[in-house]
Amino acid sequence: MRLRVEFTTEPFDLDEAPAHALAAREVIETAELDAVDVGPFGNTAEGGADRVLGAVEALLRKSLQAGATRISLQVNVIDDGFGEGGR
């Protein structure tokens, strides 16, 4: 199964990336995921379920430790292994 994670960390700082945002990005960029896209207002990455779920756990822990007060995330199944339409 393949998953896509989309996330943001807060509080925002438009002048420079806060420590919690940098921590989250580092986790995602080093997690050996596919299609990683980081930006100022949202981040996405895709990969196998085990890698994405492991990265999400690390992202939550490290971002909170680095000062995040809110983390919004969404995880979607992008390939359920059954092709178009699923079961």
Side-chain angles (χ1 to χ4, degrees):
M1 176 186 317
R2 287 184 53 80
L3 302 176
R4 175 184 296 125
V5 62
E6 301 174 47
F7 67 92
T8 59
T9 61
E10 296 179 40
F12 294 114
D13 183 342
L14 297 178
D15 293 327
E16 75 179 64
H20 58 80
L22 296 175
R25 289 178 189 168
E26 180 181 356
V27 167
I28 291 299
E29 289 175 339
T30 61
E32 297 183 31
L33 299 175
D34 308 324
V36 174
D37 182 25
V38 296
F41 300 109
N43 308 281
T44 61
E46 298 177 6
D50 288 340
R51 287 185 191 245
V52 170
L53 295 174
V56 166
E57 179 185 4
L59 179 147
L60 292 171
R61 291 182 185 280
K62 292 186 178 189
S63 296
L64 291 169
Q65 290 171 350
T69 58
R70 178 179 178 149
I71 302 167
S72 301
L73 66 89
Q74 179 173 305
V75 178
N76 294 300
V77 174
I78 57 174
D79 176 5
D80 62 6
F82 298 108
E84 290 287 320
R87 276 190 175 179

